[in-house]
Amino acid sequence: EADIYQTPRYLVIGTGKKITLECSQTMGHDKMYWYQQDPGMELHLIHYSYGVNSTEKGDLSSESTVSRIRTEHFPLTLESARPSHTSQYLCASSESRGDVNIQYFGAGTRLSVL
Amino acid sequence: KNQVEQSPQSLIILEGKNCTLQCNYTVSPFSNLRWYKQDTGRGPVSLTIMTFSENTKSNGRYTATLDADTKQSSLHITASQLSDSASYICVVSDRGSTLGRLYFGRGTQLTVWP
């Protein structure tokens, strides 16, 4: 069982609100990730981090931003939520075992913007 | 373009029966292939990871195979249980970057009926 936690699990908010999705891991992993997943679709990488003060945009363009001030914490922020942001957001962290990068996922936050 | 294709898209079987899920990929250079199980509303959980030199790997009732020459993998589930109902995602990692980029399939939605 991976020690990676996401809050809230579910969030319903109105358009224009600022929101922050929390992600924390207690495994001491340097690499962390945010994915976006729509129902029945594949996960798309939207942000990743190699470590403290390192953040990069992923393959899928996103209006969200992230920060990595502490190793264990990788929050995602939407300054002004819109209905198009409705989706499931999954956070992950990873460790390396030889050449293999093992990713552990949180339970996800299901966001609905009205 | 690196891609991961899974089939079937969805599958319904009766409890106790066996089933096989397929994954074809074009990711190159190939590093490893993983199968994840994702319960509804949850994050993916790793079932197996196979590197280039591995042809088969088992995890309880789950057996994954890999043919790196034809770029195909399968996940065989034996004696299915109701708790096997989930989405099974094939994920391929390349070794062309430090990040170990992951390419996700859309998953096969398995439903096990009593």
Side-chain angles (χ1 to χ4, degrees):
Chain A
E1 191 77 21
D3 294 323
I4 179 164
Y5 308 100
Q6 290 185 242
T7 57
R9 288 293 318 282
Y10 305 93
L11 180 61
V12 181
I13 60 167
T15 298
K17 299 292 185 183
K18 176 180 178 180
I19 60 167
T20 296
L21 308 185
E22 302 289 347
C23 176
S24 296
Q25 51 97 4
T26 58
M27 297 173 282
H29 294 164
D30 288 326
K31 296 177 183 174
M32 295 189 73
Y33 315 79
W34 275 103
Y35 293 89
Q36 186 173 340
Q37 184 184 29
D38 292 321
M41 301 297 287
E42 64 267 47
L43 279 72
H44 291 284
L45 181 67
I46 52 175
H47 298 284
Y48 61 94
S49 167
Y50 285 127
V52 172
N53 294 326
S54 154
T55 61
E56 302 286 344
K57 289 193 177 294
D59 305 318
L60 182 68
S61 176
S62 174
E63 295 168 342
S64 60
T65 59
V66 292
S67 62
R68 191 85 184 278
I69 299 173
R70 302 198 313 266
T71 298
E72 62 271 23
H73 198 210
F74 192 37
L76 180 145
T77 298
L78 276 167
E79 289 294 332
S80 179
R82 295 205 300 271
S84 61
H85 296 140
T86 295
S87 188
Q88 173 160 265
Y89 293 85
L90 291 162
C91 179
S93 67
S94 72
E95 63 178 359
S96 295
R97 295 181 189 173
D99 293 335
V100 180
N101 191 25
I102 310 295
Q103 291 202 357
Y104 300 90
F105 288 85
T109 293
R110 187 167 295 278
L111 174 65
S112 295
V113 183
L114 305 177
Chain B
K1 179 181 178 183
N2 288 319
Q3 285 188 319
V4 177
E5 301 288 342
Q6 292 187 243
S7 62
Q9 183 177 351
S10 62
L11 181 63
I12 300 174
I13 62 173
L14 294 177
E15 186 178 15
K17 298 296 185 182
N18 304 335
C19 66
T20 300
L21 314 180
Q22 300 290 342
C23 174
N24 297 334
Y25 63 92
T26 60
V27 176
S28 180
F30 174 85
S31 174
N32 58 81
L33 184 146
R34 313 117 186 263
W35 283 94
Y36 281 89
K37 178 186 179 186
Q38 184 176 22
D39 292 313
T40 302
R42 310 288 298 185
V45 175
S46 180
L47 295 175
T48 64
I49 297 175
M50 289 183 293
T51 58
F52 185 88
S53 59
E54 297 175 294
N55 300 119
T56 185
K57 183 165 281 189
S58 292
N59 177 2
R61 294 180 296 103
Y62 302 104
T63 299
T65 65
L66 172 65
D67 186 334
D69 292 329
T70 62
K71 297 187 177 182
Q72 295 180 326
S73 175
S74 66
L75 180 69
H76 186 74
I77 304 174
T78 304
S80 61
Q81 300 176 356
L82 299 179
S83 58
D84 291 334
S85 294
S87 178
Y88 291 84
I89 304 173
C90 177
V91 184
V92 182
S93 176
D94 70 16
R95 51 182 171 85
S97 65
T98 304
L99 183 64
R101 185 63 55 86
L102 299 184
Y103 299 88
F104 291 81
R106 293 188 176 185
T108 291
Q109 184 64 48
L110 175 66
T111 303
V112 181
W113 283 0

